[in-house]
Amino acid sequence: MTVQDRLIRIEKSLSLSGWISPGDVRFLLDAVADLRENLSPSQLLLPSASSTQSPGTFDIPAAFWSGSLESGNPDSKPWRVNQSVERIYQALDSGEFRLYFQPKVNMRLGKVVGLEALIRWEHPEFGLIPPLSFLPQIEESSLIIDIGEWVLDNALSQINRWQKMGQMIPVSINLSVNHLTHRAFLIRLKDALSRYPDLPPNLIDIEIVESVAIGDLKAMSQLMVECQEMGVTFSIDDFGTGYSSLRYLKRLPSNTLKIDQSFVLGLLHDSGDMELIKAVIALAQVFNRSVIAEGVESPEAGVVLMWLGCDLAQGFCISKALPGDAVFDWIKRYQPDPSWALWSGVKFDLSDVPLLLAQYDHSIWVTRIVDRIQHSRSGLFEDDMGDQDVCRFGRWYVEDGMNKYGNFDGFSELGKLHHEMHVIADEAILSLSTGQWDEAMVYGERLVALKDVLFSRLANILGTIRLAHA
Ligand code: C2E
Ligand code: MG
Ligand code: MG
């Protein structure tokens, strides 16, 4: 790209947004540096820039951008600008970005309900680079708008291709707040949609990425209403984190809340995460929004989410993000997890959730011990030899389990099986610690066999619960 091209681009961005961003400044400096060949951008900006810095990066006090440098703020910390901002412009120009698509499903119905478009950078040297390795750097630059428009155009053309193959599938795109609040956003969106007159706008959902706070909530809300009148829907991404999710919930007419994956990843281990998820689901119900969980990595997490009232899910246990041309076949072949189908017609009772968690914990515990046996790892594993009444299954059995299901057929047998499993696990671990690998192997096999019996008894109890709630 010539220096003249760069200057025209900066001028275009200035006339659109009326402000010049850090990325643009960097871009401008690069352009000027090209003109004055012997001067690097850092020399132009900071004559005393340290010579210890790696080539290609230089530090600029954060206060420089915020304007507080003039007021002499002593706390100003350096903000690292990477030279690849320029490289990211080039990547866009030379078509190095790719759009991948991660399926979203309705676990209860066993159906694919949409896709989330996720950008990747196919770098000729470094391979596929994930978005969080380059987007934060350009968040404050007009380049985030150029990339957002690229994402929108590519998503539309991909939806159009699927439509022609007979597959109507909604796609969510992630747009940054700086893009959405840009004054030309609505015009550009209408313009992009008008290029696909046969494509219903309700196939586009915009996930608002809260990387910066939304300043003018009223203006944002009006914009969302105008888009919704055209059919476009909105989700609040990473709900529960970010700037002011609750304020956004009240003031912004989003259609969907996306429960942040950090809570979902902790769901089966951390009771705090479960309580937060319950609260988000309850909020969604009160505010009449739909709710989806991202970061569903195991079928068990999916079942618990269904029980808690969230049927929509996205995550690695369903599929990772796929290249566009792999999606059609994936959808045709998709089979929901059998444990989800089992619960599809059932109205859940939250008081049954602990049973599922106890079962999950127990299966993880067995897998861990078997893994140690298979890898002949010795030593005394105190965690694994834990008291049978202290492990989560043991606690569940004598407390919740006994109270709720004590008179179910096979319940007392559960206790005996569980006790036997702990005895065998202790033996296995002792064998390991004394180097008797073959003996440990035999114990490991017995442990797995007992787990299967225990789980089949639990399945009977779950079957009785299902019948009661159906
Ligand atoms: P996000 O919008 O919350 O997207 C979900 C991220 O979680 C994706 O990472 C996805 O690959 C990952 N993920 C999905 N399922 C699982 C799971 O089961 N476990 C775990 N551990 N992770 C899972 P990715 O693609 O690296 O994207 C990261 C973030 O980058 C996105 O978070 C979004 O904020 C941003 N992003 C991605 N594409 C775009 C884009 O086109 N424009 C903008 N502005 N931001 C984007
Ligand atoms: Mg997202
Ligand atoms: Mg997220």
Side-chain angles (χ1 to χ4, degrees), residues 263-281:
F263 308 133
V264 180
L265 293 174
L267 169 67
L268 298 173
H269 322 279
D270 184 326
S271 56
D273 283 337
M274 176 169 319
E275 290 309 317
L276 275 167
I277 291 176
K278 274 195 213 165
V280 174
I281 294 170

Side-chain angles (χ1 to χ4, degrees), residues 374-432:
Q374 280 170 350
H375 293 93
S376 305
R377 276 189 247 138
S378 56
L380 281 174
F381 308 107
E382 280 169 20
D383 280 1
D384 292 337
M385 294 185 74
D387 187 336
Q388 57 173 301
D389 295 329
V390 176
C391 83
R392 190 148 73 166
F393 188 95
R395 276 204 319 268
W396 168 83
Y397 184 78
V398 293
E399 294 166 13
D400 277 358
M402 189 68 78
N403 287 339
K404 261 195 101 162
Y405 320 107
N407 55 0
F408 278 43
D409 272 355
F411 187 80
S412 56
E413 198 194 342
L414 284 183
K416 287 188 205 116
L417 283 164
H418 178 237
H419 171 75
E420 208 179 330
M421 285 176 78
H422 270 274
V423 172
I424 289 184
D426 289 354
E427 294 289 351
I429 290 163
L430 280 174
S431 303
L432 273 185

